[in-house]
Amino acid sequence: MRMLAGLAAWIARTLAVILVIASVNFALVHAAPGDPAQVIAGQSGASDETLLRQLRAEYGLDKPYAVQLATYLGRVLRLDLGYSYRQQRPVLGLVLERLPATLLLTGTAFALALGFGILLGTLSGVRAGRWSDTLIGLVALVLYAMPVFWLGLMLVLVFSVQLEWLPAFGYRSVGATFSPLGQVGDVLAHLVLPALSLAAVYLAVYARLMRTAIVEVAAQDYVKTARAKGLTRGRVIRDHMIRNAILPVVTVAGMQAGALVGGSVVVETVFAWPGLGRLVFEALSQRDYPVLLGLFLVMSVLVILINMLTDLLARLIDPRIAASARAA
Amino acid sequence: MNRRDFAKLVLAAGAAGPIPFGITRAAGQTRGGILNTVIQPEPPILVSALNQQAPTLTVCGKIYESLLTYDFDLTPRPGMAQSWERSPDGLTYTFKLFPGITFHDGSPMTSEDVVFSVTKALMEAHARARGTFARLASAEAPDPLTVVFKLKAPFAPFLHAFDATTAPIISKALYENTDLRQNPNNARAIGTGPFKLKEWVKGSHIHLVRHEGYYRKGEPYLDEIYYRVIPDAASRAVALESGTIQLTQWNDVEAFDVPRLKALPNLDMTTKGYEFYAPHLWLEMNTRIAPMNDKRFRQAVLYAIDREALRKRVFFGLGKVATGPVSSKTRFYEPDVPKYEYAPAKAVALLDAMGLKPGADGKRVTLKYLVPPYGEMWQRVAEYVRQSLGKVGIDIVLEGIDVGGWAARCGNWEFEISAPWTYQYGDPALGVSRSYISSNIRKGILFSNTAGYSNPEVDRLFEEAAVAQDDATRQKLYSQVQKILVEDAAVAWLMELDFPTFTDKHIKDLVVTGSGVNDTFARAYRA
């Protein structure tokens, strides 16, 4: 019963948050100077009153602002993301078409960053002060400081142009036919460079976070106890140190997962990866309001979902969190 | 107006030499092959009758055709029309179409489709075409291969309005009595061009394949064209270098990459094929705002900028310094106009004479420069101008903005200085006069007379030149108007822009008309 009530409250809260986000998005998007009609005129080299009038009527921009907002929120509640007159397609279709590419890229990058970040951070932490710790710290610092677009271009220059090992652009070979397995391999080959570029910064952050946490945990009494009772070094690190040190990393990673989706704009641009990030960027520069609003909404829902997952994960890792939540 | 009695003026292919129709191929032209190129930004739809954004026009040039094409010197050449004639009074134009033209869905293209496209579809959806075709009194299709246009009054550049970007022909059967923009056939992109749409993976690529029913036998030579969407300029340069793509056009490659790419052994570069557009860059000063309402100030700006250095340093030697409103690449250019050499001393003298004295900080006036958001080059142009004008005491503050904001603010006159570039479309009456005549001062409309320059004499000369019947008279009028505009420094013309077209050495005959990369590529082949 208590749990059901909690769930209902959570759903109500989430809905309210989504509606507020949708309204703010709407206001922000319409506050930028210029509208889709003017952008199209600006890129056509000529325009006249008739064209502007036609386009504005199509977008519903000739109606009062309040009416436009009400129409939009009504549609959001009905899960209707609207229609892009510019691309002549429903927004939902556009988003769903690009979503897999983005999920594949950000998911891979996230897994790489988290996996290697925790691994390197742990290695570094348990060898604190030794040369291998310094080396890992240095690599992390370099990765952290490197601009993503530059790293991407350098990877392309080395692995695509010089060595010719990996493709430089796109998500699959255009115009080639493969067996189903070959197709998977082809997509994976295209995925390597963009995923590495996107993972680099986050990897560095997680590695440094993990190192700090490990160093902190290593000084705790229960670690000394575990050692004293004769556990192997591996078991102490695995069961006692990592399990406790990983919590802050997971929390931060959860918060950054949202940023990862947005941050993929640059990588998607450099590698011509047909994902959501680029769709956002293009929709913004073209003032394609329906697409922009739809994307913002989908992304905010994604962030909410990821945060929820992070919460659950934190409870799994550390049962004390759930216990303290119940007590309160 | 010249009232000489014209003999029936046949402007047809006879003068143009052999028609490239059913001709035997020159040695070395082989069928087959794939061309990989790039398109950026991705077009919203592939119907150039409904959307005229630059990338749409480039891709649609392969899918749709019009009645005419234009040579490098802008002489009309056969497109889907094999011949055409103008009546002595300049009011009636009769076009004869090639037989056997079919749309990509297999249906025949006839004069009915031409009449429908010009009088219905384009009039409804194509702003630039509307300006020309609103002058039609009637358009008729007496037989399937003949189209007769009657004008309300003579309009000299009429024959320059039939390129594939201004007057693409779409199917009457598919579009008549429908809401054009919502028509489901828009996704199929049905034209008559040598290439048809096979697949469009949004965000990734557009795949075109040869139209087997193309009416010019044996053409196109290429089997397929891939337009790949590569949003980042550096990535595009790498793709070209590595051979992933074999063609870049317009500003796909930034000017600072040009010297490096030009030196590569696997690439050819040309700046030909942009004559129909003849992109012209200028510094536009809002003449509603002091001191830019004073022609001495605008003249001073022209004297203060070393445009030859701008060409060399910012554009890496591409293009040509513009001497006035008409590009030297197009028709009716007048070279004998007042000259504005680089002379900062003259600029200072003019500004002093205006009473615009420097303040204690050395600044005479501070003006905001709205930087066009079309790439890195325009930022560099802005910085160069700021440096130059700063030296004579004109303080420039750069304002960055995105395309939507730039278009809105320029159109609504909410700017002090900006640097637009516009196309000339083969005739001053189509692409030049619009920026200077008073009747085209229209708020909210981009690429109208946004500077607000107004001069009754200029209005009269442009109007007379647009309806004059013979080229000699038109040249006289246009020469006169160019001299006035340059003396007045209506805007500060900077450059006749050149765009580098890079092609792989194995791709031949790609740029064969004044429309260059926007043309059909029907005769391009892989050697």
Side-chain angles (χ1 to χ4, degrees), chain B residues 125-437:
Chain B
H126 193 313
R128 186 155 50 81
R130 193 153 44 219
T132 299
F133 298 126
R135 297 164 189 268
L136 284 176
S138 71
E140 276 155 27
D143 68 67
L145 296 182
T146 309
V147 186
V148 182
F149 293 111
K150 285 203 167 65
L151 289 162
K152 292 174 198 154
F155 185 57
F158 190 69
L159 276 179
H160 281 86
F162 287 97
D163 76 299
T165 69
T166 316
I169 303 305
I170 57 174
S171 161
K172 180 180 177 178
L174 297 181
Y175 282 94
E176 197 181 29
N177 297 324
T178 65
D179 180 348
L180 295 179
R181 288 175 201 278
Q182 308 289 334
N183 191 308
N185 290 303
N186 290 345
R188 296 166 65 203
I190 304 292
T192 57
F195 294 94
K196 60 182 178 184
L197 178 65
K198 168 127 191 264
E199 185 193 31
W200 182 1
V201 181
K202 289 269 166 84
S204 174
H205 63 272
I206 296 166
H207 183 190
L208 306 179
V209 295
R210 54 181 286 134
H211 170 31
E212 295 295 345
Y214 193 55
Y215 64 101
R216 291 171 189 257
K217 296 296 167 236
E219 293 179 6
Y221 300 135
L222 291 172
D223 283 336
E224 301 169 66
I225 303 176
Y226 283 98
Y227 277 99
R228 307 186 57 168
V229 184
I230 305 179
D232 182 61
S235 305
R236 290 194 290 273
V238 168
L240 189 64
E241 231 176 317
S242 65
T244 314
I245 56 175
Q246 295 95 41
L247 163 71
T248 61
Q249 55 251 315
W250 292 103
N251 44 8
D252 287 342
V253 168
E254 298 272 17
F256 45 79
D257 279 329
V258 170
R260 182 170 60 89
L261 294 170
K262 229 166 117 175
L264 293 177
N266 61 324
L267 296 175
D268 281 328
M269 192 202 90
T270 178
T271 54
K272 280 178 80 174
Y274 297 93
E275 291 79 3
F276 187 79
Y277 310 100
H280 218 56
L281 172 73
W282 65 71
L283 212 58
E284 182 152 309
M285 291 166 272
N286 192 337
T287 60
R288 299 162 192 87
I289 299 170
M292 295 179 288
N293 54 353
D294 190 323
K295 85 172 183 193
R296 287 173 298 177
F297 182 84
R298 304 193 298 261
Q299 289 170 337
V301 167
L302 273 166
Y303 281 124
I305 301 172
D306 186 350
R307 294 176 288 169
E308 184 54 31
L310 174 79
R311 188 184 82 84
K312 282 196 187 128
R313 304 225 178 95
V314 176
F315 289 95
F316 291 84
L318 285 178
K320 200 174 152 191
V321 170
T323 57
V326 177
S327 168
S328 67
K329 284 183 202 151
T330 176
R331 306 187 309 151
F332 307 116
Y333 168 71
E334 173 55 62
D336 183 24
V337 291
K339 296 277 181 291
Y340 295 95
E341 70 284 6
Y342 176 53
K346 284 189 185 173
V348 168
L350 279 165
L351 294 170
D352 284 342
M354 283 174 68
L356 207 60
K357 298 275 191 246
D361 54 358
K363 296 174 183 169
R364 299 167 194 270
V365 60
T366 298
L367 292 169
K368 289 190 211 128
Y369 184 123
L370 199 61
V371 184
Y374 293 99
E376 175 64 24
M377 290 312 299
W378 315 112
Q379 180 70 29
R380 295 191 181 196
V381 171
E383 280 158 11
Y384 187 86
V385 167
R386 181 178 59 182
Q387 288 280 321
S388 306
L389 296 186
K391 283 187 196 144
V392 296
I394 302 171
D395 181 37
I396 297 288
V397 178
L398 301 183
E399 275 184 284
I401 197 160
D402 71 349
V403 176
W406 185 81
R409 289 195 39 200
C410 284
N412 293 326
W413 312 338
E414 290 157 5
F415 70 99
E416 292 180 345
I417 294 181
S418 191
W421 47 282
T422 63
Y423 300 155
Q424 307 221 326
Y425 298 118
D427 195 289
L430 297 174
V432 178
S433 62
R434 59 181 177 156
S435 305
Y436 308 100
I437 54 176

Side-chain angles (χ1 to χ4, degrees), chain A residues 106-173:
Chain A
T106 49
T108 311
F110 191 63
L112 278 177
L114 204 56
F116 282 97
I118 289 172
L119 182 71
L120 288 178
T122 310
L123 284 177
S124 186
V126 297
R127 287 154 208 235
R130 306 243 290 274
W131 69 268
S132 50
D133 171 38
T134 317
L135 183 70
I136 291 173
L138 194 71
V139 169
L141 194 66
V142 169
L143 287 181
Y144 185 70
M146 213 152 19
V148 174
F149 72 91
W150 189 80
L151 175 64
L153 283 174
M154 288 306 116
L155 287 176
V156 167
L157 279 181
V158 174
F159 292 102
S160 302
V161 178
Q162 296 298 327
L163 299 173
E164 297 183 21
W165 287 356
L166 291 165
F169 316 100
Y171 76 105
R172 65 179 173 87
S173 296

Side-chain angles (χ1 to χ4, degrees), chain A residues 7-306:
Chain A
L7 194 66
W10 183 84
I11 289 174
R13 216 167 44 230
T14 307
L15 265 182
V17 167
I18 287 176
L19 275 186
V20 169
I21 290 175
S23 309
V24 171
N25 284 346
F26 187 87
L28 275 179
V29 163
H30 285 79
D35 65 28
Q38 279 162 326
V39 173
I40 290 173
Q43 295 174 343
S44 305
S47 78
D48 63 4
E49 286 88 349
T50 319
L51 177 74
L52 293 179
R53 207 175 46 242
Q54 285 170 349
L55 291 170
R56 286 187 180 134
E58 223 171 43
Y59 273 77
L61 296 172
D62 48 350
K63 300 202 181 71
Y65 186 80
V67 176
Q68 291 182 47
L69 177 62
T71 321
Y72 174 63
L73 289 182
R75 279 212 314 262
V76 167
L77 287 176
R78 292 198 307 272
L79 296 180
D80 172 9
L81 293 186
Y83 186 83
S84 166
Y85 293 98
R86 196 190 151 78
Q87 306 223 24
Q88 311 251 333
R89 313 246 332 253
V91 174
L92 190 65
L94 280 170
V95 172
L96 289 181
E97 194 177 78
R98 301 287 188 100
L99 196 59
T102 287
L103 288 182
L104 181 64
L105 175 61
T106 49
T108 311
F110 191 63
L112 278 177
L114 204 56
F116 282 97
I118 289 172
L119 182 71
L120 288 178
T122 310
L123 284 177
S124 186
V126 297
R127 287 154 208 235
R130 306 243 290 274
W131 69 268
S132 50
D133 171 38
T134 317
L135 183 70
I136 291 173
L138 194 71
V139 169
L141 194 66
V142 169
L143 287 181
Y144 185 70
M146 213 152 19
V148 174
F149 72 91
W150 189 80
L151 175 64
L153 283 174
M154 288 306 116
L155 287 176
V156 167
L157 279 181
V158 174
F159 292 102
S160 302
V161 178
Q162 296 298 327
L163 299 173
E164 297 183 21
W165 287 356
L166 291 165
F169 316 100
Y171 76 105
R172 65 179 173 87
S173 296
V174 165
T177 40
F178 291 106
S179 62
L181 201 67
Q183 220 156 29
V184 172
D186 183 46
V187 172
L188 285 181
H190 280 85
L191 180 63
V192 175
L193 295 183
L196 280 179
S197 312
L198 187 57
V201 173
Y202 297 97
L203 189 154
V205 172
Y206 303 149
R208 293 185 72 82
L209 266 177
M210 191 67 191
R211 179 190 178 275
T212 314
I214 287 278
V215 169
E216 216 169 90
V217 165
Q220 299 286 323
D221 290 341
Y222 61 82
V223 173
K224 286 183 195 150
T225 312
R227 278 209 192 107
K229 74 179 179 190
L231 290 183
T232 60
R233 185 174 153 84
R235 270 202 73 184
V236 174
I237 294 174
R238 202 172 61 235
D239 292 349
H240 294 276
M241 291 170 71
I242 293 186
R243 187 105 188 248
N244 282 293
I246 207 168
L247 200 59
V249 179
V250 169
T251 311
V252 171
M255 273 154 58
Q256 282 183 336
L260 203 63
V261 177
S264 63
V265 177
V266 175
V267 171
E268 288 180 6
T269 303
V270 170
F271 290 97
W273 187 267
L276 282 185
R278 248 174 66 205
L279 193 60
V280 175
F281 184 71
E282 281 158 17
L284 179 66
S285 60
Q286 291 151 354
R287 298 284 188 278
D288 194 346
Y289 297 149
V291 175
L292 206 51
L293 290 169
L295 282 167
F296 282 168
L297 196 69
V298 168
M299 286 190 169
S300 26
V301 171
L302 271 181
V303 169
I304 290 174
L305 285 178
I306 290 171

